């Protein structure tokens, strides 16, 4: 059972995906963390983020390993635990530029497909282009949405010390960058189930997704 959960930042993707995977005994993969990890590596190694050719030239160098335990999804780059460092504002502000480079997307997409293929019990994969590009044959595709205001409130709650207004502006900018890039833009797959989380609590979103997965399992 492969479940693809896509949507922009702040819709509850990560919290929902982890909880659904844990509840149903599935593996879990945060694809955004992989793009953050390669961005962190680029920043740490002094690669010019404004030069796509410089990024492309070294896209194959870092070794990224993702753990798939929903209770504690680990991620390392060249053996270094980067679960904390990849969540900094510096990485957040540069991840769109790095992930827009086709060579980066090809490298990470290949990694994601191999992880999904080796998940024996099934897997919940969350990101922005899972249902459209990475796993177009996923058993179930879900696209989470929410109003920019709701997303900003949630995200500023996660990012300590950030104010809602600037967070909202940053999210809208990120959406525009992700939706307009040539390589695998953020988009809802034609056969995805859309779930608007604006007025829902996290528990309600999780319940909704678990129900969708169980219905799909029963129909298989």
């Amino acid at each position: 059972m492969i479940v693809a959960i896509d949507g922009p930042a702040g819709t509850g993707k990560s919290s929902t995906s982890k909880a659904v995977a844990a509840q149903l005994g599935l593996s879990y993969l945060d694809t955004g963390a992989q793009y953050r990890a390669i961005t962190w590596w680029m920043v740490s190694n002094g690669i010019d983020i404004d030069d796509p050719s410089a990024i492309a030239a070294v896209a194959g160098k870092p070794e990224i390993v993702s753990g798939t335990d929903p209770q504690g999804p680990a991620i390392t780059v060249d053996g270094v635990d980067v679960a904390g460092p990849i969540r900094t504002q510096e990485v957040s502000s540069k991840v769109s530029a790095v992930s827009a480079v086709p060579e980066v997307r090809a490298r990470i997409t290949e990694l994601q497909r191999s992880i999904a293929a080796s998940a024996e019990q099934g897997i919940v994969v969350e990101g922005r282009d899972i249902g459209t590009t990475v796993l177009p044959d996923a058993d179930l595709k879900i696209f989470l949405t929410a109003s920019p205001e709701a997303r900003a409130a949630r995200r500023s709650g996660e990012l300590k010390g950030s104010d809602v207004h600037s967070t909202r502006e940053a999210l809208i900018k990120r959406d525009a960058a992700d939706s307009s890039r040539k390589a695998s833009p953020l988009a809802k797959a034609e056969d995805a189930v859309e779930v608007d989380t604006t007025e829902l609590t996290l528990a309600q979103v999780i319940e909704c997704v678990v129900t969708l997965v169980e219905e799909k399992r029963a129909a298989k």
Side-chain angles (χ1 to χ4, degrees):
M1 183 81 188
I2 292 180
V3 181
I5 299 184
D6 289 306
T11 52
K13 278 199 314 283
S14 294
S15 304
T16 300
S17 300
K18 276 188 274 202
V20 169
Q23 206 168 315
L24 297 174
L26 303 173
S27 295
Y28 160 77
L29 178 61
D30 174 359
T31 63
Q34 295 175 316
Y35 284 106
R36 285 174 171 275
I38 200 167
T39 301
W40 173 85
W41 185 90
M42 298 279 175
V43 171
S44 300
N45 285 275
I47 308 302
D48 184 357
I49 302 300
D50 297 319
D51 183 355
S53 60
I55 293 171
V58 293
K61 284 195 170 181
E63 184 192 4
I64 298 168
V65 178
S66 295
T68 58
D69 177 0
Q71 309 284 9
I75 185 157
T76 62
V77 180
D78 297 335
V80 177
D81 176 3
V82 294
I86 63 172
R87 302 291 169 186
T88 62
Q89 192 56 47
E90 184 181 22
V91 171
S92 297
S93 65
K94 296 185 163 97
V95 68
S96 283
V98 173
S99 57
V101 176
E103 288 81 359
V104 170
R105 296 208 78 79
R107 162 89 200 285
I108 301 292
T109 296
E110 186 183 351
L111 181 60
Q112 291 162 0
R113 286 176 177 158
S114 68
I115 292 169
S118 62
E120 292 176 9
Q121 302 301 319
I123 191 167
V124 177
V125 184
E126 59 130 320
R128 285 171 162 74
D129 65 338
I130 310 307
T132 51
T133 303
V134 180
L135 300 166
D137 297 325
D139 299 290
L140 175 63
K141 301 175 190 177
I142 294 167
F143 193 84
L144 298 183
T145 63
S147 71
E149 290 72 23
R151 291 164 49 212
R154 290 171 190 163
R155 187 42 69 93
S156 54
E158 294 166 14
L159 303 168
K160 303 293 177 267
S162 64
D163 73 280
V164 175
H165 178 72
S166 60
T167 303
R168 180 178 180 275
E169 296 305 308
L171 285 175
I172 290 171
K173 190 176 172 186
R174 175 86 194 268
D175 291 349
D178 290 347
S179 302
S180 61
R181 65 170 177 246
K182 289 193 175 74
S184 307
L186 164 66
K188 178 188 164 191
E190 285 183 10
D191 53 347
V193 179
E194 185 168 322
V195 179
D196 187 333
T197 70
T198 305
E199 302 292 334
L200 302 178
T201 63
L202 178 59
Q204 288 172 321
V205 179
I206 293 165
E207 185 184 356
C208 173
V209 174
V210 166
T211 301
L212 288 168
V213 175
E214 288 177 334
E215 283 173 356
K216 197 60 148 180
R217 269 180 169 172
K220 283 187 82 169

